[in-house]
Structures are given as C-alpha cells and as structure tokens.
Amino acid sequence: MDPLIAVAARALATGDPLGALNRVALRDDPPSLALRGIAMAQLGDLERASALLRRAARAFGPAQAVARARCVVAEAEIAFVSRDLAFPAAALETARATLEAQGDHANAAHARTLQARRQLLVGQLADAERTLAGLEPALLQPALRAGRELVAAGLALRRIDTSAARVALARADRAAREARIPALAAEVEAAARVLAEPAARLVGGGKERPLRLDEVERVLGSAAFVVDACRQAVRLKGVALSFATRPVLFALLRALGEAWPADASRRRLLAAAFGAKHVDESHRARLRVEIGRLRALLGERADVGATTDGYVLVPHEGREVAVLAPPVEDRHARLLALLADGEAWSSSALAIALGASPRTVQRALGSLARTGKVQCFGRARSRRWTAAGVPGFPTVLLLPGPLPSD
C-alpha cells in the first residue's frame, strides 16, 4: 500500500481527520478521494463527503469491486446520518453482497446494520428484524456491535418491549465503551433517555398524567379496555381494532372513554366528533346514527348505552377503561415525533418515513414553521428540518411501524 495512504487511513481510524487530510488533500487518485470523503464526513461536511465518495467509487471502477462497494457503504452511512432516506436501498444491498462474497465480513456487517437502520426509520420493523438476524454479535467489532444493539433497542422500543430495550441498550453501552468512540457513546446515551421521558398521557375522569414507556407497556398488557389515541385503535387482550379510517367514530369513542365511568353529554360528543357548537334535532339524529355504527364496530368488546344527557361506554366483563393520548396534541404529531430525534431531516426523507406525499409533508412543515415548532436551514435540495424544542416529546408511540397487536 502507498505509505501516505496507509498513514492517512491510520489517522482516520484514530479520529484525526485533519491529520489524514494533510497527507491526501492534494491527491485525486481513488484511495485518496475515498479517504478525503471519510475525513470530510468526520469534520461534518456531509455534502462534500458524499461527492468525494461518489467520485472515488466511479474512479475505482468494476475491476476494484471491493473498494467501490466500501465507498457505496460509506456514502449510504452519510445519507442515513443526514436522514436522506432516498439513498437507493438496492445499491447498498449490492455493495453488501459484494463485500460478503469477497470476504470483507466487517464492512458487510456494517452494510447490513445500515440496512436495518433504514428499515427501522421507515417503520419496516419485520424487515429490520430479519436483516438484524443475519448478524452474530459475538463476531462483530465493538463499534459494529454497538450499532447492531442500537437497532435492536430501537426495534424493542417500537414494539413497546422495554425489558428487551434495556438489555440491548446495556449491551450497546458496553460495546461503545469498548470501542472508545465518544460520538457512539453519546448516541447510546441519547437512546436510553427515551425510556425516562413521557411517552403518552393517561386521560380520564377529568384528570391526566404522563406515562413513561414502561408504564404504557403495563397499561397495554393489562385487562383494561384501552382507547389508544396515539395509534387510533382499541386494544383489548393484546388484540387491536384499528379506527385509522374511522376518525368520527374514534372521536366519539375517545370522548366516551375520557368521560368513563360517567356518561358523555351529547353536546360534548357532538363537539368532539363534528365540531358542533350547539345541539339541535339534526345533530341528535346524526349522533344516533354514528353511535349505532360505533356499537356495531365494537361488537363483543363493549356496548354504548344511552343516558338522559348522552351516552356511556360499557366494556364487557366489567373491564376498566384507559385512554392513552399523545404527550402533545397536534395534528402533525407523527411528523414532530420523527423530528424529535434531534437529527436534521429532508422533507423527502420525512415523506418516505411517513408514507405520505412530499407535497403533504411540505405543507405540514410550513404550518409547523409558522407556529415556531420546527425550523429549517439550507436551500433547495440541501434544506433540512429540525424540531424547535417541543416540550413533552419525543414518543415512540407515534413513529411508523406496527405494534405486535396490530
């Protein structure tokens, strides 16, 4: 190996990007371009880093498949760190397969971890679990092992399995300390903080209190009739009944659940479901129709009884009612939940993660920006969005991906 390339590579491995650049900054051969790209990434100039790695990949050419695949993996990592989820997953998969076939198992494992991270971000939890299953932790270097455990912890958090999340985070912490990479240790610490922050509110009887994720897990695992306003569903005995396409019926159900064990007045129900400010015979007739539809949908789970002033929710088998609500009520709460990870997102990446159109996401970001809840920097394709500090966030309950009961 070229002595200067070897020295620059060692400098990068020890976290000295300026030392590496001092040796290769004026060179344009493929190995130097790749090292310059990684150095720029370590210095935080991700756009320049991606451009250098793309040049390096093209310059290596088909004859140097392993070197080119390493450049693709490095570019993918930069893309995902900067929340550019539009990076082609097929290119990363091809690079991973090339590295495995050529015996570069360490970089192949890194590529697999990146694949799992992307799948986790866009809510493809089952795919992320399958991708992660191909990695044997004991065979990984400490930094890679920490990355794998962070993805495992993220999956456990999305599945509302706090015990598994704590175990994975503890393993990630040990691996990060062994790797002696401060940024990695900080990432593990930030992930662990999710367990101590409010993930939802328990609402009912005119009162509410914040719940940590482990408390949410206990509510979901209880025998209660759970009205889950975070996921627009009813949960009972680990089985979910989705109301995602029935917003009016869910608004009625939530109002009934929040009033339980008392009844909810017709005025309150009409205001919750239709935004009505007064009660007339037309509103009463419409309310009767919607309550009938709600009874039919709930089936054997619960009944909705009529009272003098309104209606009351009556779960079968004498079950209690628990209403889980997001920490912050906002019609763009799912968008805020993604931005609450502290990273800078592009609008296209947010659209991919939410499964929404780019135009819909741009309108939502504009609305949030006008109220000071998000902020942006950069222009055109380089524009990135971050949360402007929303008290009570984040919560994993609003992030994409199904719960086990869904």
Side-chain angles (χ1 to χ4, degrees), residues 354-376:
L354 293 172
S357 72
R359 184 64 188 139
T360 298
V361 170
Q362 287 164 3
R363 281 198 298 268
L365 288 168
S367 173
L368 290 168
R370 285 191 290 276
T371 57
K373 294 180 179 177
V374 301
Q375 57 195 8
C376 65

PDB file of all heavy atoms in Angstrom, residues 354-376:
ATOM      1  N   LEU A 354     -43.007   8.591   6.609  1.00  0.00           N
ATOM      2  CA  LEU A 354     -44.419   8.664   6.986  1.00  0.00           C
ATOM      3  C   LEU A 354     -45.329   8.001   5.962  1.00  0.00           C
ATOM      4  O   LEU A 354     -46.524   7.840   6.214  1.00  0.00           O
ATOM      5  CB  LEU A 354     -44.840  10.129   7.158  1.00  0.00           C
ATOM      6  CG  LEU A 354     -44.196  10.876   8.329  1.00  0.00           C
ATOM      7  CD1 LEU A 354     -44.543  12.355   8.268  1.00  0.00           C
ATOM      8  CD2 LEU A 354     -44.682  10.290   9.655  1.00  0.00           C
ATOM      9  N   GLY A 355     -44.789   7.652   4.801  1.00  0.00           N
ATOM     10  CA  GLY A 355     -45.633   7.088   3.751  1.00  0.00           C
ATOM     11  C   GLY A 355     -46.609   8.112   3.196  1.00  0.00           C
ATOM     12  O   GLY A 355     -47.706   7.768   2.767  1.00  0.00           O
ATOM     13  N   ALA A 356     -46.198   9.390   3.204  1.00  0.00           N
ATOM     14  CA  ALA A 356     -47.058  10.476   2.700  1.00  0.00           C
ATOM     15  C   ALA A 356     -46.406  11.087   1.460  1.00  0.00           C
ATOM     16  O   ALA A 356     -45.242  10.833   1.151  1.00  0.00           O
ATOM     17  CB  ALA A 356     -47.240  11.540   3.777  1.00  0.00           C
ATOM     18  N   SER A 357     -47.164  11.915   0.756  1.00  0.00           N
ATOM     19  CA  SER A 357     -46.618  12.564  -0.427  1.00  0.00           C
ATOM     20  C   SER A 357     -45.700  13.707   0.009  1.00  0.00           C
ATOM     21  O   SER A 357     -45.924  14.336   1.057  1.00  0.00           O
ATOM     22  CB  SER A 357     -47.740  13.114  -1.305  1.00  0.00           C
ATOM     23  OG  SER A 357     -48.325  14.246  -0.701  1.00  0.00           O
ATOM     24  N   PRO A 358     -44.656  14.015  -0.789  1.00  0.00           N
ATOM     25  CA  PRO A 358     -43.768  15.135  -0.447  1.00  0.00           C
ATOM     26  C   PRO A 358     -44.530  16.445  -0.285  1.00  0.00           C
ATOM     27  O   PRO A 358     -44.200  17.255   0.587  1.00  0.00           O
ATOM     28  CB  PRO A 358     -42.807  15.181  -1.638  1.00  0.00           C
ATOM     29  CG  PRO A 358     -42.797  13.792  -2.173  1.00  0.00           C
ATOM     30  CD  PRO A 358     -44.187  13.281  -1.980  1.00  0.00           C
ATOM     31  N   ARG A 359     -45.558  16.660  -1.113  1.00  0.00           N
ATOM     32  CA  ARG A 359     -46.312  17.914  -1.025  1.00  0.00           C
ATOM     33  C   ARG A 359     -47.058  18.012   0.309  1.00  0.00           C
ATOM     34  O   ARG A 359     -47.099  19.088   0.928  1.00  0.00           O
ATOM     35  CB  ARG A 359     -47.304  17.993  -2.197  1.00  0.00           C
ATOM     36  CG  ARG A 359     -48.058  19.304  -2.242  1.00  0.00           C
ATOM     37  CD  ARG A 359     -47.126  20.474  -2.480  1.00  0.00           C
ATOM     38  NE  ARG A 359     -47.824  21.746  -2.331  1.00  0.00           N
ATOM     39  CZ  ARG A 359     -47.326  22.803  -1.729  1.00  0.00           C
ATOM     40  NH1 ARG A 359     -46.098  22.753  -1.211  1.00  0.00           N
ATOM     41  NH2 ARG A 359     -48.007  23.917  -1.649  1.00  0.00           N
ATOM     42  N   THR A 360     -47.622  16.884   0.750  1.00  0.00           N
ATOM     43  CA  THR A 360     -48.326  16.878   2.036  1.00  0.00           C
ATOM     44  C   THR A 360     -47.366  17.221   3.173  1.00  0.00           C
ATOM     45  O   THR A 360     -47.688  18.016   4.070  1.00  0.00           O
ATOM     46  CB  THR A 360     -48.954  15.504   2.282  1.00  0.00           C
ATOM     47  OG1 THR A 360     -49.913  15.247   1.249  1.00  0.00           O
ATOM     48  CG2 THR A 360     -49.643  15.443   3.640  1.00  0.00           C
ATOM     49  N   VAL A 361     -46.180  16.625   3.135  1.00  0.00           N
ATOM     50  CA  VAL A 361     -45.193  16.879   4.188  1.00  0.00           C
ATOM     51  C   VAL A 361     -44.722  18.331   4.139  1.00  0.00           C
ATOM     52  O   VAL A 361     -44.555  18.983   5.179  1.00  0.00           O
ATOM     53  CB  VAL A 361     -44.007  15.904   4.050  1.00  0.00           C
ATOM     54  CG1 VAL A 361     -42.863  16.302   4.969  1.00  0.00           C
ATOM     55  CG2 VAL A 361     -44.463  14.485   4.357  1.00  0.00           C
ATOM     56  N   GLN A 362     -44.523  18.858   2.935  1.00  0.00           N
ATOM     57  CA  GLN A 362     -44.074  20.258   2.820  1.00  0.00           C
ATOM     58  C   GLN A 362     -45.117  21.217   3.388  1.00  0.00           C
ATOM     59  O   GLN A 362     -44.779  22.197   4.050  1.00  0.00           O
ATOM     60  CB  GLN A 362     -43.777  20.577   1.353  1.00  0.00           C
ATOM     61  CG  GLN A 362     -42.486  19.931   0.852  1.00  0.00           C
ATOM     62  CD  GLN A 362     -42.390  19.915  -0.655  1.00  0.00           C
ATOM     63  OE1 GLN A 362     -43.266  20.444  -1.347  1.00  0.00           O
ATOM     64  NE2 GLN A 362     -41.339  19.301  -1.181  1.00  0.00           N
ATOM     65  N   ARG A 363     -46.403  20.932   3.118  1.00  0.00           N
ATOM     66  CA  ARG A 363     -47.457  21.795   3.689  1.00  0.00           C
ATOM     67  C   ARG A 363     -47.451  21.720   5.213  1.00  0.00           C
ATOM     68  O   ARG A 363     -47.588  22.731   5.907  1.00  0.00           O
ATOM     69  CB  ARG A 363     -48.823  21.383   3.144  1.00  0.00           C
ATOM     70  CG  ARG A 363     -49.125  21.897   1.754  1.00  0.00           C
ATOM     71  CD  ARG A 363     -50.622  21.828   1.478  1.00  0.00           C
ATOM     72  NE  ARG A 363     -51.118  20.464   1.525  1.00  0.00           N
ATOM     73  CZ  ARG A 363     -51.204  19.657   0.482  1.00  0.00           C
ATOM     74  NH1 ARG A 363     -50.846  20.086  -0.709  1.00  0.00           N
ATOM     75  NH2 ARG A 363     -51.658  18.429   0.609  1.00  0.00           N
ATOM     76  N   ALA A 364     -47.276  20.501   5.750  1.00  0.00           N
ATOM     77  CA  ALA A 364     -47.258  20.335   7.203  1.00  0.00           C
ATOM     78  C   ALA A 364     -46.063  21.054   7.820  1.00  0.00           C
ATOM     79  O   ALA A 364     -46.182  21.718   8.860  1.00  0.00           O
ATOM     80  CB  ALA A 364     -47.223  18.852   7.547  1.00  0.00           C
ATOM     81  N   LEU A 365     -44.893  20.943   7.170  1.00  0.00           N
ATOM     82  CA  LEU A 365     -43.703  21.626   7.684  1.00  0.00           C
ATOM     83  C   LEU A 365     -43.889  23.142   7.656  1.00  0.00           C
ATOM     84  O   LEU A 365     -43.477  23.848   8.586  1.00  0.00           O
ATOM     85  CB  LEU A 365     -42.475  21.224   6.859  1.00  0.00           C
ATOM     86  CG  LEU A 365     -41.966  19.798   7.068  1.00  0.00           C
ATOM     87  CD1 LEU A 365     -40.942  19.429   5.998  1.00  0.00           C
ATOM     88  CD2 LEU A 365     -41.363  19.632   8.461  1.00  0.00           C
ATOM     89  N   GLY A 366     -44.508  23.638   6.600  1.00  0.00           N
ATOM     90  CA  GLY A 366     -44.769  25.074   6.528  1.00  0.00           C
ATOM     91  C   GLY A 366     -45.679  25.538   7.649  1.00  0.00           C
ATOM     92  O   GLY A 366     -45.450  26.588   8.264  1.00  0.00           O
ATOM     93  N   SER A 367     -46.705  24.724   7.940  1.00  0.00           N
ATOM     94  CA  SER A 367     -47.624  25.073   9.024  1.00  0.00           C
ATOM     95  C   SER A 367     -46.910  25.058  10.375  1.00  0.00           C
ATOM     96  O   SER A 367     -47.092  25.970  11.193  1.00  0.00           O
ATOM     97  CB  SER A 367     -48.788  24.069   9.028  1.00  0.00           C
ATOM     98  OG  SER A 367     -49.617  24.265  10.145  1.00  0.00           O
ATOM     99  N   LEU A 368     -46.084  24.038  10.604  1.00  0.00           N
ATOM    100  CA  LEU A 368     -45.351  23.951  11.866  1.00  0.00           C
ATOM    101  C   LEU A 368     -44.318  25.071  11.991  1.00  0.00           C
ATOM    102  O   LEU A 368     -44.076  25.593  13.084  1.00  0.00           O
ATOM    103  CB  LEU A 368     -44.672  22.586  11.977  1.00  0.00           C
ATOM    104  CG  LEU A 368     -45.608  21.393  12.180  1.00  0.00           C
ATOM    105  CD1 LEU A 368     -44.862  20.084  11.982  1.00  0.00           C
ATOM    106  CD2 LEU A 368     -46.232  21.430  13.572  1.00  0.00           C
ATOM    107  N   ALA A 369     -43.703  25.443  10.867  1.00  0.00           N
ATOM    108  CA  ALA A 369     -42.702  26.524  10.904  1.00  0.00           C
ATOM    109  C   ALA A 369     -43.344  27.853  11.282  1.00  0.00           C
ATOM    110  O   ALA A 369     -42.753  28.663  12.006  1.00  0.00           O
ATOM    111  CB  ALA A 369     -42.007  26.628   9.548  1.00  0.00           C
ATOM    112  N   ARG A 370     -44.576  28.078  10.792  1.00  0.00           N
ATOM    113  CA  ARG A 370     -45.255  29.342  11.110  1.00  0.00           C
ATOM    114  C   ARG A 370     -45.587  29.463  12.595  1.00  0.00           C
ATOM    115  O   ARG A 370     -45.694  30.571  13.121  1.00  0.00           O
ATOM    116  CB  ARG A 370     -46.532  29.482  10.267  1.00  0.00           C
ATOM    117  CG  ARG A 370     -46.266  29.831   8.813  1.00  0.00           C
ATOM    118  CD  ARG A 370     -47.538  30.215   8.090  1.00  0.00           C
ATOM    119  NE  ARG A 370     -48.418  29.077   7.890  1.00  0.00           N
ATOM    120  CZ  ARG A 370     -48.321  28.215   6.905  1.00  0.00           C
ATOM    121  NH1 ARG A 370     -47.382  28.367   5.992  1.00  0.00           N
ATOM    122  NH2 ARG A 370     -49.157  27.201   6.792  1.00  0.00           N
ATOM    123  N   THR A 371     -45.746  28.335  13.257  1.00  0.00           N
ATOM    124  CA  THR A 371     -46.022  28.364  14.700  1.00  0.00           C
ATOM    125  C   THR A 371     -44.758  28.172  15.528  1.00  0.00           C
ATOM    126  O   THR A 371     -44.838  28.033  16.757  1.00  0.00           O
ATOM    127  CB  THR A 371     -47.047  27.272  15.063  1.00  0.00           C
ATOM    128  OG1 THR A 371     -46.538  25.997  14.639  1.00  0.00           O
ATOM    129  CG2 THR A 371     -48.378  27.535  14.388  1.00  0.00           C
ATOM    130  N   GLY A 372     -43.600  28.107  14.868  1.00  0.00           N
ATOM    131  CA  GLY A 372     -42.335  28.038  15.588  1.00  0.00           C
ATOM    132  C   GLY A 372     -42.001  26.667  16.147  1.00  0.00           C
ATOM    133  O   GLY A 372     -41.097  26.540  16.978  1.00  0.00           O
ATOM    134  N   LYS A 373     -42.684  25.614  15.665  1.00  0.00           N
ATOM    135  CA  LYS A 373     -42.421  24.282  16.204  1.00  0.00           C
ATOM    136  C   LYS A 373     -41.292  23.559  15.460  1.00  0.00           C
ATOM    137  O   LYS A 373     -40.747  22.584  15.976  1.00  0.00           O
ATOM    138  CB  LYS A 373     -43.700  23.437  16.162  1.00  0.00           C
ATOM    139  CG  LYS A 373     -44.788  23.955  17.096  1.00  0.00           C
ATOM    140  CD  LYS A 373     -46.036  23.099  17.020  1.00  0.00           C
ATOM    141  CE  LYS A 373     -47.106  23.637  17.979  1.00  0.00           C
ATOM    142  NZ  LYS A 373     -48.364  22.875  17.889  1.00  0.00           N
ATOM    143  N   VAL A 374     -41.003  23.989  14.240  1.00  0.00           N
ATOM    144  CA  VAL A 374     -39.877  23.419  13.500  1.00  0.00           C
ATOM    145  C   VAL A 374     -39.087  24.561  12.879  1.00  0.00           C
ATOM    146  O   VAL A 374     -39.592  25.689  12.752  1.00  0.00           O
ATOM    147  CB  VAL A 374     -40.334  22.437  12.386  1.00  0.00           C
ATOM    148  CG1 VAL A 374     -41.126  21.282  12.960  1.00  0.00           C
ATOM    149  CG2 VAL A 374     -41.153  23.166  11.327  1.00  0.00           C
ATOM    150  N   GLN A 375     -37.876  24.260  12.489  1.00  0.00           N
ATOM    151  CA  GLN A 375     -37.032  25.264  11.837  1.00  0.00           C
ATOM    152  C   GLN A 375     -36.231  24.579  10.740  1.00  0.00           C
ATOM    153  O   GLN A 375     -36.021  23.364  10.781  1.00  0.00           O
ATOM    154  CB  GLN A 375     -36.107  25.917  12.862  1.00  0.00           C
ATOM    155  CG  GLN A 375     -35.237  24.925  13.606  1.00  0.00           C
ATOM    156  CD  GLN A 375     -34.606  25.522  14.845  1.00  0.00           C
ATOM    157  OE1 GLN A 375     -34.924  26.643  15.235  1.00  0.00           O
ATOM    158  NE2 GLN A 375     -33.723  24.766  15.489  1.00  0.00           N
ATOM    159  N   CYS A 376     -35.796  25.373   9.766  1.00  0.00           N
ATOM    160  CA  CYS A 376     -35.060  24.779   8.648  1.00  0.00           C
ATOM    161  C   CYS A 376     -33.792  25.574   8.391  1.00  0.00           C
ATOM    162  O   CYS A 376     -33.644  26.717   8.827  1.00  0.00           O
ATOM    163  CB  CYS A 376     -35.929  24.740   7.388  1.00  0.00           C
ATOM    164  SG  CYS A 376     -36.362  26.368   6.742  1.00  0.00           S
TER     165      CYS A 376
END
